[in-house]
């Protein structure tokens, strides 16, 4: 009889999942089922079903008296066999969390050690059996507690703050709730505080009940979330200013005598699991339960996911209409670079020009004058006016500085407004800003047409340059020009990798297809190797390799990636946070990092810093008009990794002075 009932119960679970779909009110079984619509970020999107998720216990028993599914804890480590079937989630992944009596549980899998959430990737339409291993942190022999296993859809997703500012259905939670009967008392001999979030601390201020004048239906549950009095119930993001704490306010309403345990999460990890911070609350009709708490922001990474989870404690006692509730995820974003550490600022008045690397701990500002600065403290080491230079960098379209032990060479493209012509100019001067020499590079190398791209070698004795006629190497010592073999490729940009004596170049082949080429610069340059298949764009070289951005090619869609070339590993590709970052790459002084700046309409700029080694996002700053004023503009960025400094050149108002500013802060 028991065996027949168990089979019937299992059939009912499956039927209810397929018949009633994804809404919590319609799912009458303990197993979780969720449908994923096609357009999941846009608010007014279509609802064509593109994905589906079902999960539940693989093995369980049935209580003859109540008909409830349960498993037994017999001591030691509890093994939970779990069944999952997913469609349309191959790339996004599904995370799982486990709660006992509402308390989040550390668990391990066959592949990973203990943590609160593990992420899984499932093939479409395949029934998967996975195993969770845990030692319950609560419960005594003879007790029966509720076991809640909850999935979280695409837990790695973060909005890019440009094309998407919210989470949509991403991070949606779907629970299955069962009973856990204790035949043994679990050991309580480990410190679970070692596993809680290290990026924040939580302090509960108060929990109270107030009258709610809004008439509540019997099945209503509502949760409102506020950060520093700003309503973030809908999710999206919250900008942290310079305060030490974020004040959190939760307003919760529900049916009569429903009990929940409430846990705060940062980056899918409980902020604190101590009893006073894992709250137990009870809802009452026509009353609001109000929770006031503070989060310490001093250790936040600058881009952190926050949400609150409420797990029912008496679902089997009072109503099957209650279930796990989760607030929408909120992205906590550091306000701006001012909050990143010690900040130095220097006012340049109406400066309009370029800032360039000029050796270790030095930078050069080039406009209607040349000014050498110490990066550490913005001390002016030397300066010279354009009249003394014999040229103004104000008319340059681009500029960079090369240094050696005795001299500086500033080189860039000068624009002649009278005849709209352009010419590559090289300005040489010594460390005392004397012995100035201005050179027309086209005349120096004997180029027959305008130089489009260039790279100085051997302290300015050699130069690689490209024109409409090809790619060339000029040696000023012997006055010889070598034509470099790029095959049938029209070169648009190139970079020279000093450690391997290689040139990478980007251009179009005879079929107008974008290609990447590589050749070795030896006594006799070797023939080029050609790579196809990507939208190769502008190139930046550093000692051990090069970065290549995606080009903006008409009729082609960019993937939002950057390519990294190294002599040892060849070409790797790394995703950017937003497609809009393509076309705004800035390489650090020694190539360890690269940065992007993204303009956000009506809001300001996002500055992101990535590691060249693995493409990981290192830091993100949001620089808003609200903070810096409507005239704010982020112009240029320099990164000195050897002294851990970021230098920004901005236009706007700082310290009540409007104009151009240099801002320096520590690199994280």
């Amino acid at each position: 009889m028991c065996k027949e009932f168990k089979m019937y119960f299992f059939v009912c679970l499956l039927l209810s999942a397929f018949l009633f779909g994804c809404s919590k009110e319609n799912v009458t079984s303990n197993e979780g089922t969720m449908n994923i619509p096609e357009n999941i970020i846009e608010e007014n999107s279509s609802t064509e079903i593109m994905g589906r998720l079902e999960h539940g216990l693989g093995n369980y028993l049935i209580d003859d008296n109540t008909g409830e599914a349960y498993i037994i804890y017999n001591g030691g480590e509890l093994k939970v066999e779990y069944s999952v079937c997913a469609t349309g989630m191959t790339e996004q992944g599904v995370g799982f969390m486990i709660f006992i009596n509402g308390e989040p549980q550390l668990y391990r899998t066959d592949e990973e050690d203990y943590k609160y959430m593990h992420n899984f990737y499932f093939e479409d339409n395949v029934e998967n059996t996975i195993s969770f291993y845990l030692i319950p942190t609560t419960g005594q022999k003879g007790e029966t507690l509720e076991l809640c296993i909850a999935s979280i859809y695409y837990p790695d997703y973060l909005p890019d703050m440009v094309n998407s500012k919210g989470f949509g259905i991403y991070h949606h939670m779907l629970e299955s709730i069962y009973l856990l009967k204790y035949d043994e008392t679990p050991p309580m001999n480990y410190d679970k505080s070692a596993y809680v979030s290290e990026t924040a601390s939580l302090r509960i201020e108060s929990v109270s009940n107030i009258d709610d004048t809004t008439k509540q239906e019997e099945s209503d549950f509502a949760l409102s979330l506020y950060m520093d009095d700003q309503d973030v119930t809908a999710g999206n993001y919250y900008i942290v200013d310079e305060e030490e704490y974020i004040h959190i306010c939760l307003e919760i309403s529900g049916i009569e005598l429903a009990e929940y345990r409430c846990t705060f999460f940062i980056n899918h990890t409980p902020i604190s699991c101590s009893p006073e911070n894992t709250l137990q609350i009870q809802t009452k009709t026509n009353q609001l339960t109000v929770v006031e708490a503070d989060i310490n922001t001093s250790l936040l990474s600058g881009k952190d996911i926050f949400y609150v989870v409420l797990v029912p404690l008496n679902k089997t006692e009072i109503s099957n209409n209650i279930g796990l509730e989760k607030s929408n995820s909120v992205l906590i974003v550091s306000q701006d670079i001012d909050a990143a550490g010690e900040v130095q600022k220097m006012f340049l008045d109406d400066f309009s020009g370029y800032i360039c690397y000029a050796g270790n701990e030095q930078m050069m500002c080039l406009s209607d004058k040349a000014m050498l600065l110490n990066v550490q403290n913005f001390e002016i080491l030397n300066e010279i006016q354009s009249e003394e230079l014999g040229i103004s960098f104000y008319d340059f379209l681009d500029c960079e500085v090369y240094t050696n032990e005795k001299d500086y060479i500033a080189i860039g493209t000068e624009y002649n407004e009278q005849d709209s012509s352009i010419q590559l100019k090289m300005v040489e001067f010594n460390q005392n800003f004397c012995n100035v020499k201005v050179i027309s590079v086209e005349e120096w190398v004997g180029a027959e047409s305008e130089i489009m791209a260039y790279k100085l070698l051997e302290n300015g004795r050699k130069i690689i340059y490209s024109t409409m006629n090809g790619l060339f190497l000029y040696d000023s010592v012997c006055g010889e020009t070598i034509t470099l073999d790029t095959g049938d490729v029209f070169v648009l940009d190139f970079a020279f990798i000093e450690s391997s004596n290689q040139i990478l170049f980007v251009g179009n082949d005879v079929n107008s297809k974008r290609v990447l080429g590589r050749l070795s610069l030896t006594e006799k340059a070797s023939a080029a190797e050609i790579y196809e298949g990507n939208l190769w764009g502008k190139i930046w070289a550093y000692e051990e390799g090069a970065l290549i951005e995606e080009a903006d090619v008409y009729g082609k869609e960019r993937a939002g990636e950057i390519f990294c070339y190294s002599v040892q590993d060849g070409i790797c590709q790394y995703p950017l946070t937003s497609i809009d970052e393509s076309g705004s790459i800035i390489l650090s002084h020694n190539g360890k990092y690269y940065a992007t700046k993204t303009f956000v309409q009506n809001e300001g700029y996002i500055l992101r810093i990535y590691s060249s080694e693995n493409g990981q996002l290192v830091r993100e700053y949001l620089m808003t008009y609200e903070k810096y004023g409507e005239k704010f503009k982020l112009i240029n960025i320099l990164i000195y990794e050897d002294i851990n400094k970021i230098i920004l050149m901005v236009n706007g108002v700082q310290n009540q002075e409007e104009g151009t500013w240099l801002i320096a802060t520590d690199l994280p």
Side-chain angles (χ1 to χ4, degrees):
M1 177 67 182
C2 179
K3 182 178 179 181
E4 292 177 357
F5 184 83
K6 178 180 176 181
M7 291 177 62
Y8 173 75
F9 180 76
F10 184 68
V11 170
C12 285
L13 288 178
L14 291 179
L15 284 175
S16 65
F18 281 106
L19 291 174
F20 292 110
C22 66
S23 68
K24 185 172 293 181
E25 291 77 12
N26 289 332
V27 177
T28 58
S29 73
N30 290 332
E31 289 192 341
T33 306
M34 177 172 67
N35 293 324
I36 306 300
E38 179 179 13
N39 298 316
I40 55 182
I41 296 298
E42 294 80 0
E43 293 182 1
N44 299 315
S45 62
S46 66
T47 56
E48 180 181 351
I49 302 302
M50 298 296 291
R52 187 175 179 84
L53 173 66
E54 298 177 77
H55 58 81
L57 285 176
N59 290 312
Y60 52 84
L61 300 171
I62 299 297
D63 190 297
D64 290 334
N65 296 321
T66 66
E68 296 288 343
Y70 70 91
I71 58 176
I72 299 174
Y73 176 66
N74 291 310
E77 192 175 54
L78 174 66
K79 179 180 180 180
V80 180
E81 293 185 358
Y82 211 63
S83 180
V84 183
C85 185
T87 303
M89 304 181 190
T90 305
E91 297 181 0
Q92 291 83 358
V94 180
F96 281 95
M97 291 183 180
I98 299 175
F99 301 84
I100 297 177
N101 198 36
E103 293 186 16
Q105 303 292 303
L106 285 162
Y107 73 95
R108 69 174 179 88
T109 66
D110 290 321
E111 292 79 25
E112 294 184 309
D113 203 357
Y114 283 92
K115 55 184 180 179
Y116 285 98
M117 189 202 73
H118 295 262
N119 200 7
F120 299 86
Y121 296 88
F122 303 110
E123 295 183 16
D124 284 348
N125 300 313
V126 175
E127 182 150 346
N128 302 270
T129 299
I130 54 180
S131 297
F132 308 138
Y133 303 88
L134 66 145
I135 300 174
T137 60
T138 186
Q140 301 285 329
K141 181 178 180 179
E143 285 188 324
T144 298
L145 301 178
E146 289 188 349
L147 169 70
C148 175
I149 301 176
S151 61
I152 180 165
Y153 175 51
Y154 200 177
D156 290 340
Y157 175 78
L158 291 175
D160 62 19
M161 307 290 292
V162 180
N163 298 303
S164 60
K165 298 180 181 179
F167 290 85
I169 200 171
Y170 295 148
H171 294 193
H172 178 81
M173 263 188 169
L174 181 72
E175 82 279 9
S176 298
I177 297 179
Y178 305 93
L179 295 179
L180 177 60
K181 296 187 177 183
Y182 288 78
D183 281 358
E184 295 290 341
T185 298
M188 303 293 178
N189 57 356
Y190 70 94
D191 180 15
K192 65 183 177 181
S193 65
Y195 295 90
V196 301
S197 174
E198 297 180 354
T199 60
S201 60
L202 178 74
R203 181 176 65 212
I204 301 299
E205 294 291 334
S206 65
V207 180
S208 60
N209 291 300
I210 62 174
D211 291 337
D212 181 14
T213 57
T214 305
K215 180 177 175 60
Q216 300 289 315
E217 298 295 334
E218 182 64 21
S219 61
D220 277 355
F221 178 93
L223 184 152
S224 298
L225 175 62
Y226 300 87
M227 289 184 167
D228 294 330
D229 297 325
Q230 179 178 324
D231 190 345
V232 292
T233 305
N236 296 338
Y237 62 91
Y238 177 73
I239 300 171
V240 179
D241 211 334
E242 298 177 11
E243 70 269 19
E244 184 178 359
Y245 290 91
I246 301 174
H247 184 69
I248 304 294
C249 178
L250 288 177
E251 294 181 352
I252 305 161
S253 61
I255 66 173
E256 185 73 15
L257 302 180
E259 295 182 0
Y260 297 88
R261 194 175 301 279
C262 172
T263 305
F264 297 78
F265 286 81
I266 286 283
N267 301 328
H268 310 300
T269 301
I271 297 179
S272 176
C273 282
S274 57
E276 64 271 21
N277 290 333
T278 305
L279 295 171
Q280 184 170 334
I281 64 170
Q282 186 181 75
T283 58
K284 296 182 179 181
T285 306
N286 296 324
Q287 278 197 341
L288 281 178
T289 300
V290 180
V291 179
E292 306 273 356
D294 290 321
I295 297 176
N296 187 314
T297 64
S298 61
L299 296 178
L300 293 179
S301 68
K303 194 173 184 181
D304 300 270
I305 302 164
F306 171 84
Y307 54 82
V308 183
V309 176
L310 293 92
V311 181
L313 302 180
N314 58 348
K315 175 182 175 70
T316 56
E317 295 177 9
I318 65 169
S319 173
N320 276 326
N321 288 330
I322 68 171
L324 177 144
E325 303 287 349
K326 173 187 172 293
S327 71
N328 285 313
S329 293
V330 179
L331 189 66
I332 301 177
V333 181
S334 294
Q335 166 64 39
D336 57 21
I337 206 158
D338 285 348
E342 184 179 355
V343 175
Q344 294 91 35
K345 296 181 181 180
M346 180 179 182
F347 185 52
L348 297 179
D349 200 7
D350 58 351
F351 176 88
S352 179
Y354 301 91
I355 57 174
C356 305
Y357 301 113
N360 293 335
E361 300 190 22
Q362 294 181 353
M363 62 179 290
M364 197 170 289
C365 301
L366 299 170
S367 182
D368 54 357
K369 63 180 177 181
M371 185 165 55
L372 186 67
L373 299 178
N374 183 309
V375 173
Q376 297 279 24
N377 54 20
F378 285 153
E379 177 189 358
I380 298 176
L381 303 176
N382 215 332
E383 63 181 315
I384 184 171
Q385 299 296 322
S386 58
E387 292 82 5
E388 298 176 73
L389 278 172
I391 192 170
S392 173
F393 294 99
Y394 181 83
D395 298 322
F396 275 44
L397 302 177
D398 57 70
C399 195
E400 58 182 305
V401 173
Y402 293 81
T403 63
N404 56 37
E405 293 180 357
K406 298 180 179 180
D407 302 311
Y408 296 102
I409 300 175
I411 183 170
T413 307
E414 184 185 33
Y415 173 72
N416 189 322
E417 190 174 13
Q418 293 182 347
D419 59 8
S420 299
S421 64
I422 60 173
Q423 191 175 30
L424 189 63
K425 289 289 183 70
M426 190 161 62
V427 184
E428 296 181 356
F429 46 90
N430 63 21
Q431 290 186 343
N432 296 320
F433 280 33
C434 299
N435 300 329
V436 179
K437 186 188 300 182
V438 180
I439 300 170
S440 168
V441 180
E442 279 90 352
E443 294 178 7
W444 179 50
V445 302
E448 298 178 356
S449 57
E450 293 176 354
I451 293 176
M452 299 186 299
Y454 57 89
K455 172 67 177 179
L456 288 180
L457 310 179
E458 298 181 12
N459 297 323
R461 289 191 294 271
K462 294 181 180 180
I463 184 172
I464 306 171
Y465 65 93
S466 64
T467 70
M468 296 287 291
N469 301 319
L471 185 65
F472 305 94
L473 170 63
Y474 174 72
D475 187 337
S476 64
V477 176
C478 62
E480 182 181 9
T481 299
I482 299 173
T483 301
L484 303 176
D485 183 8
T486 61
D488 294 323
V489 177
F490 177 75
V491 176
L492 299 171
D493 194 22
F494 69 88
F496 176 67
I497 304 172
E498 294 185 13
S499 63
S500 59
N501 218 29
Q502 290 182 345
I503 297 175
L504 288 186
F505 60 89
V506 165
N508 294 329
D509 65 10
V510 292
N511 298 314
S512 297
K513 183 182 295 184
R514 188 59 61 93
V515 297
L516 174 70
R518 181 183 66 174
L519 60 87
S520 178
L521 193 61
T522 58
E523 291 184 3
K524 185 176 181 181
S526 63
E529 300 176 69
I530 303 298
Y531 304 87
E532 300 179 353
N534 290 290
L535 297 177
W536 309 111
K538 188 172 175 59
I539 309 178
W540 295 265
Y542 50 96
E543 185 176 357
E544 299 296 334
L547 290 176
I548 310 131
E549 75 174 1
E550 282 187 300
D552 187 8
V553 179
Y554 179 77
K556 303 289 186 179
E557 184 175 350
R558 292 183 295 190
E561 297 175 330
I562 192 167
F563 307 97
C564 182
Y565 170 81
S566 70
V567 177
Q568 292 182 342
D569 301 326
I571 298 173
C572 302
Q573 57 193 63
Y574 303 125
L576 296 169
T577 305
S578 167
I579 293 177
D580 299 81
E581 293 175 88
S582 296
S584 66
I585 308 297
I586 301 101
L587 187 66
S588 68
H589 190 209
N590 295 324
K592 184 177 179 181
Y593 301 102
Y594 55 94
T596 67
K597 61 173 183 175
T598 308
F599 173 68
V600 184
Q601 187 73 31
N602 300 322
E603 293 199 30
Y605 291 83
I606 298 174
L607 169 63
R608 296 186 175 102
I609 300 173
Y610 298 86
S611 166
S612 299
E613 181 180 0
N614 53 25
Q616 293 297 309
L617 181 65
V618 175
R619 188 76 188 193
E620 182 176 57
Y621 305 99
L622 183 61
M623 308 184 75
T624 65
Y625 292 144
E626 182 179 358
K627 177 76 174 181
Y628 291 96
E630 295 180 356
K631 296 182 179 180
F632 174 76
K633 185 177 181 181
L634 177 57
I635 303 171
N636 206 347
I637 305 160
L638 299 180
I639 302 175
Y640 290 80
E641 58 267 66
D642 49 350
I643 57 173
N644 291 320
K645 286 289 183 182
I646 305 170
I647 311 296
L648 305 182
M649 185 171 79
V650 306
N651 278 345
V653 179
Q654 296 284 304
N655 302 335
Q656 299 182 341
E657 290 189 277
E658 182 178 346
T660 302
W661 284 84
L662 294 179
I663 301 175
T665 191
D666 294 334
L667 179 69

